[in-house]
Structure formats: C-alpha cells, structure tokens
Amino acid sequence: MQRRTVIAGGGAALLAPVSAMADGLVLPPELPDGTRQIARAANLPGKTRLLRLADRPPNYATPTDVFADTITPNDRFFVRYHIDAVPTPPPIDDWVLTIGGEAAVQDARLKWDDLLDLPQVGVVAVCQCAGNRRGLCVPHVAGVQWGDGAMGCAEWRGPRLSDVLRVARIKAGAVEIYVGGADSPPVPGPPAFRKSIPLAKAMDDDTIIAISMNDAPLPLLNGYPARLVVPGWTGTYWMKHLNRIEISATPLANFWMKTAYRVPAGLFPVQQPFASQASETSAPITEMVVNSIIADPVEGGEVERSGFTVSGVAWDRGTGIRRVEVSLDDGKTWLDTLLDRPLGPYAYRRFSLDTGFLRRGQYRLFSRATSNAGERQSDVLKANPGGYHNNVPRGISVTVV
Amino acid sequence: MRAGAGVILALLLCRAAMAADAPAPLKPGEGAEATSGYCNACHTSDYIVMNSVFLSPAAWKAEVTKMRTAFGAQIDDGVAAEIAAYLAANYGVAAKP
C-alpha cells in the first residue's frame, strides 16, 4: 500500500528539496526553476485538476498519477494550443467540414449528419505532444517546458479519413492531405495552424476523424466537435476543431511543416518516412518512440517496506509493447513486470510489479519498455533543438518507510 | 512604438470565454514594461518565466526574432533589441565564452 502523503500535501515540507509542489500536484525536480515557479493546479471548463503551464494560449498537463489507468478520462486529458484562439464552435447543425484542393476531383461539404452516416470506427490510441518531456531535457531547450503530462490515451471514434476523402475523390498525383482547424489566430500575424500528412497515412484504416472520445463528445479543449486522429504519430498532426481538408499534389510549405516540428535527419529512424517533407538535414517528427512512465507511486511518495506495487503505462508508434522492466536500484538491475492485456497496438499498455519486502530508505525507480519491434527506450538522450522524443528511462525518487 | 491599444482591444474581444490569469510579475528592470506589453499582447509572459533560467543571450534574441519573423509580431528593431536585452539580463544565462 502506498501512502499518498504527497498528493495529500502532508509530506510537502519534508519533500520540498526533491520535488516541488503545485497546489498538491507533484512537479518533477528536473523541470527548470522558472517552470516550477509558474506551474499550478487548475480547473477549466470540462477539465479538472490539470497542471497549468500557461493559460494564454492554454497549455495544461495531465498529472502523472492519472496514468495509473490505461484510459485517460476526458476531464483529465491534457490541453495544448499554439495560439490563444480556442474557437467558439457553431451549433452542430451549422457545422461544416470542407474538402477540396488541387488533387480533389470535386469539392465537398460535409455536415455533421454526413459524418454520422459514414461507417464509424473506434481506435484506442495515445495522443502525445511532440514536446512531451521537453522540460526534462538536459540541457534545457526553449519551448513549453512539459514534464510527463502532455499525453493521454483515449478511445476515439468516428469516420475514417479515407472514407471522407473518397467523397471528394482523390486524383492521381495526390501527395499530401492538408488539414486545418477553426482555431485561427486572433490577430493577423501568426501563421495559421495547418498541418499535412502523407496520402498513405491518410488512407490508413486507423486514421479517423474523431467525433467521440471515450464515448462522449470531445471536450472543447481537445478539439470539439471533430479532430483528426493519427495513431502512432505525435499530436501535432491530430488537428483539433477540424474544418478544412485539402488533397494536394504538392508538399505543404508553411512554418508548421518546414520549420517547426522537425528532427535531425536520421536521428530517429521511422518505419514510414514522410518523404515529401524530408530534407537532407531534417525530417518532420512523425512516429512516436517507445516510452513508459511510472504512475504509482509518484515522485516523492512514501511507500511501505512490506512491499508495494509499481505500476504505469508504456506505448510506442503502434507495434505494441512486449516488455516493461522496472529498476528499484537506480538502474543497476532490472526486473520484468506483468503486462495487462493490450487494448490495441496504439494504446497504453499497463505494467505492474509487486516489489516484495524492501529495506527502509531512499530509492530511485525507473521503468524501461521494449516494443514488439524490439525497440527499447534510449539509454541516453538524443538531444535535438526541439527537445522532442525524450524517451530516456524516467526516474522517480521514493522513500520506503 | 508601443503595442497599439487597438490591437490589444481586438485581442480581448477575440478571446474565447476563458478567464485569463494574471501572469507572474516580471522582474523590474530596463525594458520590463516593453517586454510585458508586447509579449502579453499575444501570449502570457509566463512563457518567459517558464523558460528560465537556461537560455543564453543569443537564444533569447532568437526567440524575439522568431516572434517577429514567424509569428508576425509588430515590434520594431529598437524595441526588439530592448526586449532581447531585458530577457538576457533578467532571465538568461551568461553567454558561453
């Protein structure tokens, strides 16, 4: 049994040197000092007790203890906007999704009911911001200083993107699908947030337009009424408030594709390169890397020497997780954990380990996942300018009492 | 040139119905007023505090440049230099020798 003194706040004074508190939420000690100053717990419309990193634009992280469960509840799901522009959605009967572009045979306008008429597909998938754990990178790099909470796993449901594209019909020569959302900049200046994905990924049976999240409408702050779901790929492609799709014969050339969200060429090998967006020196960030997190106990927690359960989740780009190891001795030795039944290749897979008896003292715990493709979390940080893909095994400190 | 009142008003009118928190106060110093005014026109200045203290003067200058070139912030050269200098002095680390 774990004593939840940290969450309750009872151990705050004792633990202050190692883990700062934000209104009872635990902040990783690895975060920059400035981040630890401004982060705090916050409630929002439809959201309960997230970790506020910024309110304009809204950037709120999911607390780590939420990842003790495989499905992240909608009201705890993280929020990430580039620009301070959460749209006010129209009445659902007035909502329109336009489809067009130079490589579309015809333009199309789909109403909400039209989406409902298409076959509905469910996929359990992790949505993870490309910059998750950026704040834990050493040396630190500029950007939103996320700890572990710019991610979540939900069951997304809606029509396949491919079925929607077929309404407009795709010309030979189509290369990319551009997507745009209703969160347009509040003043002229910022580049409209538009992204693209390669045609092959758009036609993947698992790529859907989600109109439901965990059997409920999407929360406004997660893209209501509809968002793109690109399983296995980082969240930057999961366009929220989706309202515009273009079928294009040319690569999208804008700030969000050509400058932002890129990684050095070859640093992170992927299964399906985004060839139309690659350059000699860099490539767009696409497939997630294998990763895991301990959610229970949490940083700074107190646990019983009679034994406790270490649990958390692991995920990757969609091959599935075959092994998660936990270290109780600062990474010196590793123990295999039990894995729950998988909810699908793109979902979190829960792991757990019963420690058995331990001596009193300070312990440093780590988890380390291996995917079905044999890929294992990196032993050393692959530093890159965006602070992306930080999948070094994540350590937390606990006290056995 | 200071951030136009009209721009700020437009921002306020455009904002979705979500209450904004007051940003953490910035450290007093030369350039603090311009930094707060221009940066808060589009995003909370908490972004500055969040990204401290680890950026070099050159990195802070690059951030200001990014806001002007990529994000269209209307800041003239003189004010941009003032903001970059303020950020480096108050939220930056010394340039590497």
Side-chain angles (χ1 to χ4, degrees):
Chain A
M1 194 188 78
Q2 185 200 351
R3 291 184 191 170
R4 290 275 185 177
T5 47
V6 173
I7 292 295
L14 180 69
L15 296 161
V18 290
S19 59
M21 312 282 292
D23 310 323
L25 295 179
V26 182
L27 293 176
E30 295 87 347
L31 285 176
D33 291 343
T35 306
R36 287 147 55 94
Q37 274 175 39
I38 54 95
R40 63 204 53 198
N43 298 321
L44 292 166
K47 296 284 174 187
T48 309
R49 210 167 157 66
L50 298 180
L51 187 66
R52 189 201 77 183
L53 292 173
D55 63 329
R56 293 188 308 125
N59 285 288
Y60 294 82
T62 299
T64 299
D65 63 290
V66 174
F67 304 124
D69 292 318
T70 318
I71 296 292
T72 312
N74 290 2
D75 69 337
R76 310 302 304 279
F77 211 93
F78 82 104
V79 174
R80 198 277 184 265
Y81 284 79
H82 294 97
I83 294 165
D84 184 26
V86 180
T88 304
I92 203 68
D93 289 337
D94 297 340
W95 181 86
V96 172
L97 173 63
T98 65
I99 306 147
E102 63 197 1
V105 173
Q106 59 186 14
D107 288 347
R109 287 164 55 87
L110 292 185
K111 309 269 288 179
W112 187 254
D113 284 348
D114 298 326
L115 286 192
L116 297 179
D117 285 343
L118 293 169
Q120 304 291 298
V121 177
V123 58
V124 182
V126 174
C127 177
Q128 178 180 224
C129 176
N132 198 25
R133 293 190 182 171
R134 175 185 293 121
L136 309 177
C137 293
V138 178
H140 294 301
V141 295
V144 177
Q145 298 297 307
W146 297 107
D148 303 282
M151 64 171 190
C153 178
E155 186 190 9
W156 313 90
R157 182 168 286 276
R160 289 191 178 96
L161 177 59
S162 61
D163 286 339
V164 167
L165 294 173
R166 285 190 187 100
V167 175
R169 293 169 39 214
I170 303 165
K171 285 184 187 169
V175 174
E176 291 184 5
I177 305 300
Y178 301 0
V179 289
D183 43 339
S184 53
V187 287
F193 184 55
R194 294 166 77 220
K195 296 289 291 190
S196 67
I197 58 173
L199 183 65
K201 189 66 177 173
M203 301 304 286
D204 189 306
D205 274 350
D206 294 319
T207 301
I208 68 171
I209 297 174
I211 57 175
S212 151
M213 177 176 171
N214 295 331
D215 292 323
L218 272 64
L220 175 64
L221 294 170
N222 296 118
Y224 177 85
R227 85 177 301 172
L228 194 63
V229 166
V230 189
W233 284 30
T234 53
T236 183
Y237 301 98
W238 297 43
M239 183 62 65
K240 298 187 295 293
H241 314 292
L242 182 70
N243 64 4
R244 174 77 183 152
I245 298 174
E246 288 172 66
I247 307 170
S248 179
T250 55
L252 177 58
N254 70 5
F255 172 79
W256 301 109
M257 294 303 299
K258 295 296 184 190
T259 305
Y261 290 108
R262 296 186 73 90
V263 289
L267 187 59
F268 302 100
V270 296
Q271 203 62 26
Q272 294 178 296
F274 195 163
S276 56
Q277 290 286 347
S279 75
E280 274 188 26
T281 55
S282 70
I285 186 171
T286 55
E287 298 165 9
M288 291 185 288
V289 292
V290 61
N291 217 332
S292 66
I293 185 170
I294 295 173
D296 184 13
V298 293
E299 173 73 45
E302 285 185 1
V303 286
E304 301 282 350
R305 67 182 183 278
S306 57
F308 58 98
T309 302
V310 180
S311 70
V313 291
W315 65 98
D316 81 325
R317 57 184 165 85
T319 74
I321 297 299
R322 79 167 180 220
R323 183 182 196 191
V324 179
E325 301 154 281
V326 160
S327 174
L328 304 175
D329 57 5
D330 202 18
K332 289 195 257 310
T333 60
W334 295 86
L335 305 165
D336 267 311
T337 66
L338 291 174
L339 298 180
D340 282 10
R341 187 176 60 85
L343 294 182
Y346 300 108
Y348 284 151
R349 189 162 189 191
R350 187 176 174 277
F351 65 86
S352 60
L353 171 81
D354 290 329
T355 64
F357 178 85
L358 293 169
R359 293 175 193 280
R360 283 195 182 96
Q362 294 290 321
Y363 286 75
R364 188 91 175 140
L365 314 183
F366 286 87
S367 65
R368 184 172 76 179
T370 304
S371 73
N372 282 328
E375 292 153 357
R376 198 180 76 185
Q377 287 178 241
S378 182
D379 291 331
V380 290
L381 181 70
K382 296 183 180 180
N384 61 92
Y388 299 134
H389 282 333
N390 180 350
N391 72 336
V392 176
R394 187 72 180 87
I396 59 166
S397 297
V398 298
T399 306
V400 173
V401 295
Chain B
M1 194 186 86
R2 297 288 171 206
V7 171
I8 293 174
L9 182 63
L11 275 164
L12 292 172
L13 292 174
C14 287
R15 289 208 11 80
M18 279 178 49
D21 300 336
L26 293 178
K27 293 179 194 170
E30 192 180 341
E33 192 185 330
T35 302
S36 178
Y38 279 90
C39 299
N40 277 297
C42 292
H43 62 78
T44 174
S45 54
D46 282 355
Y47 271 179
I48 295 169
V49 185
M50 185 200 301
N51 279 276
S52 69
V53 176
F54 54 88
L55 294 178
S56 67
W60 274 124
K61 189 177 176 191
E63 287 299 312
V64 175
T65 300
K66 180 170 107 175
M67 294 303 152
R68 299 171 76 196
T69 56
F71 287 88
Q74 298 295 308
I75 308 174
D76 66 35
D77 289 348
V79 176
E82 184 186 358
I83 293 173
Y86 168 79
L87 294 171
N90 292 279
Y91 293 95
V93 292
K96 281 183 185 147

